[in-house]
Amino acid sequence: MKQISHDRPLVIKVGGRFFEELQESESGANVLLNTLAILHKKGRPIVIVHGGGVQVLDRLTKLGFTSERKNGLRVTPDEHMPIVTSVLAGELNKGLVAQFAIVGVNAVGISLADGDIAKCTEHPDNIGAVGEVHAKSSVLIDTLLSNNMLTVVASIGKDDNGRLYNVNADHAAICIASLLQTGLYFFADVEGVLDANKNNIAELNASNAQQLIADGVITDGMIVKVQAALFAANKIKQAVTIAACKHASNILLEDKLIGTKILSHQ
């Protein structure tokens, strides 16, 4: 078996737009997919954490359910969870494992509910089966990575009573990065965080971010993403990158400064 490198694992977070891009591109031609395949074949341990809010909303709507967001998070009644789980931990997770096979990568799909990775508690905002995630054990992920398996993690968690939770995928990625104490990238459908003139901000710290939020420049889901990235940067003691999937090769293979680096306090 090929030995993986001694580099720290790379944690990548993607959302629903990434899966849309997979469908839009020719088989095996997606930029991020191929970039991760190159890194994996070079021996870099990789964990990709995914959400899929677009796909979940589409499925809920088709089945006649009404879904809404509160403070950037999707309200998830317990009756929605079988659908949310099937889309995230089933269809999208296993579909991504299959896509990696096309580019010659041996991947395995799991969720936060597997292997005692994390424990969830109910979010305090009274938004149903939405979980706040607490990291517990890296044993399962360490085992997979040590056997050269790229690991795909769905943002579905559980509590000690067996209740399943919908976890914000940004927070799920933070959980994994903190367990592995390693770098984190948020790849999305945005170039990065934009200023009031719609220009990309190269670097952002906590005070700058809070001012932009107060001024209404950073809004909606980007507030959650920036706050999550700030929390992550402080937890893993290094910058967290927010960037577009199409720039993955430039960022990960060529080490170019593209997107927005969210800085830690240190």
Side-chain angles (χ1 to χ4, degrees):
M1 180 184 297
K2 178 183 175 183
Q3 295 297 311
I4 65 173
S5 73
H6 295 293
D7 289 339
R8 296 301 305 154
L10 186 65
V11 179
I12 304 290
K13 183 269 172 178
V14 296
R17 178 56 188 155
F18 169 67
F19 291 100
E20 291 181 332
E21 290 178 356
L22 279 178
Q23 291 183 333
E24 293 166 1
S25 59
E26 294 183 8
S27 181
N30 180 270
V31 173
L32 178 55
L33 192 78
N34 278 285
T35 299
L36 296 181
I38 291 169
L39 288 168
H40 181 263
K41 290 169 185 177
K42 289 182 176 180
R44 186 70 187 269
I46 297 169
V47 180
I48 184 165
V49 183
H50 70 85
V54 174
Q55 291 78 12
V56 168
L57 178 59
D58 181 65
R59 187 64 51 80
L60 288 168
T61 301
K62 286 180 178 177
L63 292 173
F65 291 95
T66 299
S67 182
E68 60 182 14
R69 298 178 75 88
K70 181 178 180 181
N71 297 327
L73 298 173
R74 186 164 303 285
V75 178
T76 309
D78 283 296
E79 57 266 29
H80 289 191
M81 278 307 297
I83 300 163
V84 175
T85 303
S86 67
V87 173
L88 295 182
E91 180 181 338
L92 296 181
N93 188 268
K94 303 312 175 189
L96 185 49
V97 168
Q99 288 292 318
F100 273 116
I102 295 173
V103 293
V105 172
N106 183 20
V108 61
I110 60 174
S111 76
L112 292 174
D114 294 307
D116 206 31
I117 293 172
K119 173 184 175 180
C120 284
T121 55
E122 185 176 330
H123 196 282
D125 285 355
N126 192 30
I127 50 178
V130 175
E132 289 195 323
V133 63
H134 310 278
K136 290 188 68 179
S137 172
S138 67
V139 170
L140 174 58
I141 295 175
D142 290 338
T143 300
L144 295 171
L145 296 179
S146 68
N147 284 281
N148 205 24
M149 296 181 186
L150 186 149
T151 304
V152 182
V153 184
S155 55
I156 294 293
K158 70 178 188 315
D159 65 15
D160 290 338
N161 296 315
R163 185 187 187 193
L164 291 176
Y165 289 89
N166 184 14
V167 177
N168 177 274
D170 292 344
H171 299 162
I174 294 168
C175 170
I176 300 301
S178 64
L179 275 176
L180 301 177
Q181 282 297 296
T182 193
L184 175 60
Y185 294 80
F186 289 148
F187 281 109
D189 57 349
V190 294
E191 297 290 329
V193 183
L194 305 181
D195 63 20
N197 296 315
K198 305 302 180 183
N199 295 317
N200 189 72
I201 302 170
E203 293 186 346
L204 196 61
N205 60 30
S207 60
N208 297 146
Q210 293 308 318
Q211 187 61 54
L212 290 170
I213 291 171
D215 292 343
V217 176
I218 297 176
T219 60
D220 303 324
M222 185 56 78
I223 294 176
V224 176
K225 190 175 299 296
V226 168
Q227 289 177 337
L230 285 167
F231 177 80
N234 291 322
K235 194 158 184 76
I236 63 178
K237 310 303 182 189
Q238 56 186 299
V240 172
T241 299
I242 297 175
C245 292
K246 65 182 180 180
H247 296 310
S249 178
N250 306 111
I251 295 169
L252 298 177
L253 297 180
E254 301 171 20
D255 201 28
K256 291 186 177 179
L257 299 176
I258 300 175
T260 301
K261 281 189 176 295
I262 307 296
L263 306 177
S264 70
H265 290 315
Q266 297 186 356

